[in-house]
Amino acid sequence: MSWAAHLTILPVLIPALAGPLALLAMLRRRVLAVGIGLASLLSLLACALALLAEAGDGTIRSYALGSWPAPFGIVLVADRLAAMMLVLTAVLALIAFSHAVLTRADRKGWHFHPLFQFQLMGLNGAFLTGDLFNLFVFFEVLLIASYGLMLHGQGAGRLKAGVQYVVVNLVGSSLFLIALGILYALTGTLNMADMGLRVAAVPAADQGLLRIGGLLLVSVFALKAAVAPLHLWLMRTYAVSTPAVAALFAIMTKVGVYSLIRVVPQVFGEGAGAAAWVPAPFLLPAALASAVIGFAGVFVARSMAEQAAYAVIGSTGTLMIAVAGWSAESLGAALYYLVHSTLAAAALFLVADVAARRRGSFGDAASPGPAFAGRGTVALMFMAAAIAASGLPPLSGFIGKLLILKSVAVLPDWGWAWGVILCTTFLGVVGFARVGSAVFWKSADCEVPPAPATRHDLAAPAIALALLAAWSVGAGWASGYAGAAAAQVLDPAQSVRAVLKDAVS
Amino acid sequence: MTRRLLPHPGLSVLLVVMWMVMVGEVSFGALFLGIVFGIVVPIFTAPWWPGRPRVRFVPALSYAGIVLWDILVANVEVAWIILFKRTRDLRPAWLAIPLELASPEAITVFAGTISLTPGTVSADVSACGRYLLVHALHAPDPAAEVTKVKTRYEARLKEIFSD
Amino acid sequence: MSTATFAQWLVSALIVIGGSFALIGSWGLVRLPSLMERLHGPTKATTLGLGALLVASVAWFHLARGTWTTHELLVSVFLFMTAPISANMIAKVHLHRLRQHEPTAPAGPAGTPAPPPGGVDWATHEVPHRGTPGDFVGD
Amino acid sequence: MAVALTLLTLVLLPFAAALAIALLHGSPRAVHSAIAGGASAGGLALLASLSGPALGGGAIPQASWSWVPALGLDLALIVDPLGWLFGLLILGIGLLVVIFAHAYLYKDEDTGRFFASLMLFQGAMLGIVIAGNVLLLLVFWEMTSLASFLLIGFWQHKAEARQGARMALAVTGGGGLALIGGMVLLGLAAGSFDLRAILASGDVVRASPLYPAILTLVLIGCFTKSAQFPFHFWLPHAMAAPSPVSAYLHSATMVKAGVFLLARLWPVLAGTELYTVTVTSVGLVTMILGAVVALFRHDLKSILAYSTISQLGMLVMLLGFSLEAAAMAAVLHILNHAAFKAALFMSAGIVEHETGTRDIRRLGGLATAMPITAVIATLAAASMAGLPPLGGFISKELMLYQTPKLALFGVAWLLPVLATLGATFSVAYSLRLALHLFFGRPREPEPFARAHDPGAGMWGGPALLTALAVLLGLVPMSLAAPLVAAATGAVTGGATPVVELALWHGLNLALALSLAAVIGGMLLMGLHHRLLAAWERAPLPDAKLLFDLVMRFADTWVRKAIVATHTPRLQIMLFVTFAVTALLVIDGAMSGGVLTGARTGIPASVPGIVAWVLLIGATAAVVNDSANRLRVLIYISVIGLVVSLAFVQFSAPDLALTQISVEVVTVLLLLLALNLLPKNPPNISSVPRKWADAGLAITGGLLVGGIAWAMLTRDPGPSIAAYHLANAKPGGGGTNVVNVILVDFRGFDTFGEIIVLGIAGLGIFALLDTAAIGAAGARLRAWRDEMPRSPERHPMMLVAASRIILPLTLMVGIFLFLRGHNQPGGGFIAALVVAIAFLVQYLAAGFDWSDARKPFGEHQLIGWGILAAWATGVGAMLLGADFLTSWFDYFSLPLIGKFELASAMLFDTGVFLTVVGAVILALAQLSHVSQRAARAAGTAEGGQP
Amino acid sequence: MIEGALAFGFAALGLALAMNLWRLFKGPGVADRILALDTMVINAIGLIVLIGIASDSATAFEAALLLAMVGFVGTVAYAKFLLRGDIIE
Amino acid sequence: MTYEFMVASAIGVLVGAGIYLALRARTFQVVLGLTLISYAVNLFLFASGRLVVGRPPIWDAGVSEYTDPLPQALVLTAIVITFGMTAFVVILALRSFLETGSDHVDGDKVPCDRQDGLGDAPQGDGGQETRL
Ligand code: NA
Ligand code: NA
């Protein structure tokens, strides 16, 4: 077996190696840990890109762990969607990592680098696995790592928020296990593809139970994705996290979205009886509410980080509006927008950090502060990030929203969807303009803090913005890929063929 | 060298026996592994047991036999008290037993024996280490009880733990 | 009497004895007047109860099934080693609370133990003197 | 190809200039203005090169590159006569504005930012007018809002600049969002987003049920941008911008975008009753309103702003007629208005620049001090007033000529009369502007004393524009007719009309109305003092106050709502989570199926029932007694014990072992934590909350219990576990199927699981490491344990016993580890047992004494453990198998006999090391912190140990 | 016959556990509760042994072994907590 | 009474009690609630393999009937993970209490919080650079 055959598992194995190595190295030399982290990230990016290239033609790679055939062992499945998420994760991780290192945020506590690697391992595993229980395990890996990262730097605010974040997620994990128990009890399998086949055979007397299982699973994903009303945990958690970490967390809610997109068509598709398209009646209203709440939060936010956190909720809502369409077109739009909103949220958090660093004691509060060094440049970056996050042209948020508008126009409730998307954009624009003008235009009569020694802190947000620009310029290819990924997800037969091979006759 | 390799030889023997009991089969392979672990584990745990009490093997065995018998009897006695003795007839008492034993290990075994045997429970040691506080469930004559315990157990333990 | 019947008899008897002693121990826990008296029940009656059950088990698997199970022995060893420690610690808690005049820790019929002769106190109330067996960790 | 390149260059040039200026931010002003001017001039040249094909009626220059095919968004560019006309205005006036701004801007101003923003705006504006795809048009449309935000807010230190910028962004950007909706709907209705295709499908669109929605949304977009009533209020506040910006944005470009779009979509949208009535009446109202207000403003730029509103109203009204001739009038007036209004804004800028004020009440008689400016501004104002022989006259005539052709609301005279009224006020404010500014006596000495004409750099541009305004009246046929004709044709989408432009049309109604307007205007001017007094007494609504009120209201209440619902309260988060889940479960349960299945139950034994009572009782006690924390832990131990017994009873020995050992570690952990937590916290939940929580809790319990019941009473179907049972021994080399699943079939889960535990250990370490410093450290130093303590730290019997228990327990751990593959046990359980053995040491002999003797570091154990598991998996890869593929074989050695070696053992070693490391790390750290706390307290007590 | 004995054994241990529960709830002192829990563990070991005999399987014995081994750790920890607050110092 | 009913009802009671405690305002009570819920969840997941007496999943040549081993493996993994998470949340709650002086779940000050001798320490932001 050649090494190329192991490509699928490398995104999990690389950080799983780099994590302990960084741990052991960190006890001695930080530079070594940074080097290990960087090497890991670069090789992760290379692997993810290679997988993307492989998946581009529609090939679905399946990797049987321990060589046990599916559905008896655990399989990893690398299709277009998984590859896309892996690339996004790697890119985002590079941005967050470089910001942490350049701003020395990684020194503000123990174990930043191992935790960061384990976080990536959890994310990549969640994106790759084709097994429902294994998904739970990777959820836990990424969660426990996120607890550590979220608390990085500590302080009362983070600790308070941390308690809430952890407790809510523990409840989520419990719900996940209950859902898994129900589904295993009914289908006798854990492999997603296999379960998708077996749900059709669930007898009439068990339909209620099946639907309950599906709904519980979906509610767990919604909790992770911070879909209203299960979003309450997010704001403070993200707003108080170390900004480099918050930037990385931009993808955490997307794990929930991803899982929903992955599991619902695969397991709860047409043939699932009472559980067919299980979240259908609830998803659109919840998505609309999320978008409204999120952008209302952006509208009234009193600090840049708080605003960014609300923007995450709003963008998830927007994204979910598209997901609720469950068509190749709307799901494609959702995936395009998913990448965009992840990068945009990261950019917002990072710019907020840059501003806070340079404004001294004024932090990122939306109130007039000193005319700090490099204000024009930072203002421009904020504007770009805000344009992206609110969905104004020319950045990809606009294209994403257009894609969503167009694709949901066929839904019966399209009027609501449109109204909410357009009105929330308005709220976002006004909110960002207000905060931006307060922070970057208005000056308070106060001592100007010293200019930072370096301008390194601008690098990571600049990369994020550049990527957003690239995502806009390359929107043709990107939306095409996203659409193809969506189509592949919506045709579970493809992954059934790839995963179960001859096990299914 | 022997001290290094076998910091607690008695313990090593005990561990090998224990291993054989756990494995539940008599084979050279099992014995081999048992001996390996019986040597390695005490070396590993030696830092946590810096003292090296010497134990005489034969008296220890006979002591164990006596104690086992006493346990049997004690249980019946206590059962009898629990079932049939009225509370107002019960004569519980605190006994302060002067200790002749000096090593903590020996005192512990003594106290443990007292706890396991007729109607007595070791509750505490004095701050100076010379008295053992024992609670007796039914001791109409506390002094006799003290004497009995000292002669039956402590004397034997002195022999077992003597250097 | 065949081996099998003997086995049946023996095991049955041991089970009944074991069960009875366990029950008596727990009954003592219920009926005896104060903590120190109750402490006698579990540390003794139950050990024999359990011992009988463990012997029953060894006998059953050997006589009826022809296999030696020996883990029961280990169970007893561990119990005999740990039961006095548990009792000791619980007694210490009682002594401590007695000294603190904790209302939920009444003295019981034996009263409060007098300090040992020689002007010292029990270890629960006074730091064990250096160099004595009670000060064990210093070595 | 050449055309394509030209088009692309045309649209990219301003952006390139913006980028260049931004990059050369630190360079002197001349560089910035040179780049900006050069780009504008270059654009003009490119545009000129396209004039032949664009206006000649031949093949219209267009090019298209695919951008987002999935969306139908192409980078399509097209220069038709309408686009060309607007391009000319954008670039031409842009060039003049650049020149003007170069002279106008003060010394220390950030010209880099100014010109970069200006060029950004120019590019966006140009993009709007030459976009060949409506989605692309939207891109540029919103970009103009953003760029204008930057330009209006250029003087960011001024509050009115910031507010004006935000208001403009809110209104035009918000309108743009409506436009997005309208345009996407339009595209969906027309089946394409290509402009030409859309323009060709007017009938389809107008017949579509979506038409009213499309029209409404598009009109909102146009009206907001072009400051039509009731969206007009942002424009006056945008006057906080520097005058060059106003001259550019509010004469020829930004505000004209709405008019442009109305014109652009004329073939698709115009002609219906709805369209005509709406657009005409909105335009009419705006025209009159703007003109009336303009008469009573005192700020020069404010007067110009309202006049702009009025003039735009006229344009909108004309387009609303849906008549070719009206469209032609509109096109001509676009040209005229651009010329005179840009000239006027620049003149206002000059006046402000040279006198230091824009308040018309402080100025007057400036003609003597600044004659050049006076001539320029007066002529431009005359054109605005529609006086002959200037360009404004001709377009106003054409407008008035059209008014009787439409009976608005069925009343034939309504339009002519009201339009004339608007024209009357236009004459009036134009006259006032010129007269009060340049003629009469100076009202205040100070501004007048300063006043003088600026250099040619500043007046050159307005002069050129005024000359244009004059010439448009004098020689309209040669100067404007071909362009107007072509553009009109482009607007209507029909054939190019024949255009007759002349000052004299003979005696007709239009002339009469025009005359009436002039006379009326003069009359109003004469009565200005009295009218002004009346106006200022009148209770008129202030749009800005209203807007601010609305915004503040929205902010306050949205903020209140968000704060009320989103203050991070864990209790609410959890309540919502549980409640939502419960509702979903109830919804699921509604969808059919039965509660109790057909599986035969297992009758319970007596101790089973007692154990059940134990569990229920202990659980109830936990809830009932939850304030007494130690007692609660004892109850928790009972629950754990019963659960372990259940696992024993229901054939799950591995689980029982795990539960038993985890239980002990959990109790130790909770006890350690409890020591530092408040011992008897008061109750802080209100009674109603308790009842609500209890209700939810009971619901949740019933639901989950019900699901469990439903599950347990159903027979299982075929499960993949059959494969595991069949292959554990032959394929996995172990008889303990659970263990083989853990280390082999699903070893990947276990791999993740040990990482979770390892990270938990690390996270706990990171949390506790800092507990001794900062606020926590201070608190720990102040820590007092109210509980009286026994002085004895290390009870002798316990210490002595722990010394022998350690090796014995380790031996058991090793045994459980080695046999785990075949019998209950395994790495995880063994690790817990070993960890407990060490914890007993800590418990008995104290942390320092025990820890000092420990030959391993927990961090290293975690790291090496994960690495060992990793390496086991990768080892398989090196041997050519998939990750974690197991290997085992049976060997035989003399004396020792047959034994098995399996890679799973190595993997399990990794599990073992990680778990030992994580558990000890967590508990030892926690104990250490309590110890530090105790030590700090002990020191305070005066040396008591 | 063995069934009868087992039934008796189960019943006795069940009753014993119930008595332990009574003491657990009744107290009065926290030491009584710890003692009740300790006794419960011992009775549970007995129960496991009986289950082993009844089901003819020795697989549960490790559970008994483990309970015997670590059961006292809980008791000691509770006691240490009450004596010192800090269970590990 | 069947074991099925007992297990199902025990799960229900544990979940109910767990939810109630998780909704309380003190971190320790919340931890208790989560602990009860996790017992219930482990039992629930275990129950997905149904209840079987006397057929442990230890392969033996003569035996053909076993209980379902898979849920057991899943529960084992879940127990371990839950333990790690519980340990983390306990220590986080404690740490938050030490930092803020309040054991309220939101870190709020509540009346009587000075009862335990944990006097108000000077509030710092606490974000120190560790000695790395
Ligand atoms: Na195992
Ligand atoms: Na637990």
Side-chain angles (χ1 to χ4, degrees), chain D residues 832-914:
Chain D
L832 281 178
V833 168
V834 167
I836 290 171
F838 281 105
L839 291 172
V840 170
Q841 275 306 309
Y842 285 117
L843 203 65
F847 179 84
D848 288 340
W849 192 88
S850 312
D851 202 58
R853 287 158 171 76
K854 189 188 61 183
F856 51 83
E858 293 90 348
H859 286 93
Q860 281 82 352
L861 283 184
I862 293 173
W864 288 113
I866 294 173
L867 283 179
W870 186 91
T872 312
V874 171
M877 288 161 70
L878 293 175
L879 296 171
D882 282 342
F883 182 70
L884 279 180
T885 301
S886 66
W887 165 93
F888 66 92
D889 208 344
Y890 298 91
F891 298 89
S892 204
L893 274 181
L895 290 178
I896 289 177
K898 196 177 155 190
F899 61 95
E900 181 189 357
L901 285 179
S903 63
M905 288 283 202
L906 203 58
F907 181 76
D908 230 8
T909 308
V911 173
F912 175 86
L913 293 177
T914 312

Side-chain angles (χ1 to χ4, degrees), chain B residues 21 28 71 83 89 111 121:
Chain B
V21 168
F28 191 81
I71 288 173
L83 284 175
D89 298 336
V121 168

Side-chain angles (χ1 to χ4, degrees), chain D residues 659 662-663 666, chain F residues 35 38-39 42 79 82-83 86:
Chain D
Q659 185 68 49
V662 162
E663 202 56 46
T666 306
Chain F
T35 308
S38 65
Y39 281 127
N42 289 340
I79 291 178
T82 309
F83 167 70
T86 307

Side-chain angles (χ1 to χ4, degrees), chain D residues 490-866:
Chain D
V491 170
T492 60
T496 309
V498 179
V499 173
E500 284 293 336
L501 298 176
L503 287 170
W504 181 250
H505 282 276
L507 287 170
N508 55 18
L509 181 64
L511 188 64
L513 293 176
S514 193
L515 204 63
V518 172
I519 295 167
M522 288 173 167
L523 266 174
L524 282 177
M525 188 56 217
L527 295 172
H528 185 258
H529 261 346
R530 267 182 248 172
L531 291 174
L532 184 63
W535 175 267
E536 280 176 349
R537 279 197 306 275
L540 295 166
D542 183 338
K544 175 170 191 311
L545 285 183
L546 209 65
F547 178 83
D548 285 352
L549 202 69
V550 168
M551 288 311 248
R552 204 169 307 128
F553 182 84
D555 182 58
T556 308
W557 287 98
V558 172
R559 176 82 194 167
K560 274 194 177 150
I562 288 282
V563 167
T565 50
H566 288 74
T567 303
R569 297 241 162 268
L570 182 64
Q571 288 170 287
I572 294 172
M573 292 175 202
L574 291 184
F575 194 93
V576 169
T577 308
F578 288 129
V580 165
T581 320
L583 289 175
L584 287 178
V585 169
I586 291 169
D587 171 84
M590 296 301 184
S591 60
V594 292
L595 179 59
T596 307
R599 185 178 169 86
T600 324
I602 310 165
S605 67
V606 176
I609 293 170
V610 173
W612 178 75
V613 172
L614 248 59
L615 185 138
I616 306 277
T619 309
V622 169
V623 174
N624 182 46
D625 230 3
S626 68
N628 189 324
R629 298 179 162 182
L630 183 69
R631 225 184 267 172
V632 161
L633 284 194
I634 298 177
Y635 299 141
I636 291 269
S637 293
V638 174
I639 297 171
L641 183 67
V642 175
V643 171
S644 314
L645 284 176
F647 287 144
V648 171
Q649 170 72 0
F650 302 125
S651 320
D654 280 281
L655 282 183
L657 296 183
T658 311
Q659 185 68 49
I660 290 166
S661 40
V662 162
E663 202 56 46
V664 171
V665 182
T666 306
V667 164
L668 293 181
L669 178 88
L670 290 173
L671 279 175
L672 283 168
L674 207 54
N675 185 35
L676 293 173
L677 284 171
K679 299 290 180 299
N680 292 299
N683 203 329
I684 49 176
S685 288
S686 67
V687 173
R689 156 164 268 164
K690 280 186 173 174
W691 279 108
D693 292 349
L696 183 58
I698 291 168
T699 313
L702 285 174
L703 289 174
V704 179
I707 297 170
W709 171 252
M711 206 166 73
L712 283 167
T713 54
R714 281 161 162 76
D715 276 313
S719 157
I720 54 171
Y723 179 91
H724 299 144
L725 285 164
N727 287 280
K729 177 82 172 141
T735 54
N736 180 358
V737 186
V738 173
N739 185 269
V740 177
I741 292 176
L742 282 174
V743 298
D744 204 336
F745 292 116
R746 300 187 68 86
F748 200 48
D749 279 345
T750 308
F751 186 54
E753 165 206 319
I754 62 169
I755 285 179
V756 169
L757 210 56
I759 303 169
L762 299 185
I764 287 168
F765 172 81
L767 273 176
L768 290 174
D769 183 59
T770 52
I773 46 180
R779 227 171 236 112
L780 280 176
R781 276 187 289 283
W783 188 81
R784 288 280 187 294
D785 189 6
E786 292 179 342
M787 196 179 72
R789 292 159 163 245
S790 155
E792 185 189 32
R793 287 162 164 261
H794 312 296
M796 184 200 73
M797 282 182 74
L798 177 60
V799 179
S802 73
R803 295 189 171 181
I804 186 144
I805 283 174
L806 177 66
L808 294 185
T809 319
L810 287 186
M811 208 67 176
V812 174
I814 292 169
F815 172 71
L816 286 172
F817 177 83
L818 287 179
R819 63 169 235 157
H821 213 42
N822 292 310
Q823 291 292 316
F828 180 71
I829 294 163
L832 281 178
V833 168
V834 167
I836 290 171
F838 281 105
L839 291 172
V840 170
Q841 275 306 309
Y842 285 117
L843 203 65
F847 179 84
D848 288 340
W849 192 88
S850 312
D851 202 58
R853 287 158 171 76
K854 189 188 61 183
F856 51 83
E858 293 90 348
H859 286 93
Q860 281 82 352
L861 283 184
I862 293 173
W864 288 113
I866 294 173

Side-chain angles (χ1 to χ4, degrees), chain A residues 227-229 279-292 321 324 413:
Chain A
V227 177
F282 315 105
L283 196 54
L284 187 60
L288 296 176
S290 308
V292 169
I321 292 175
D413 292 325

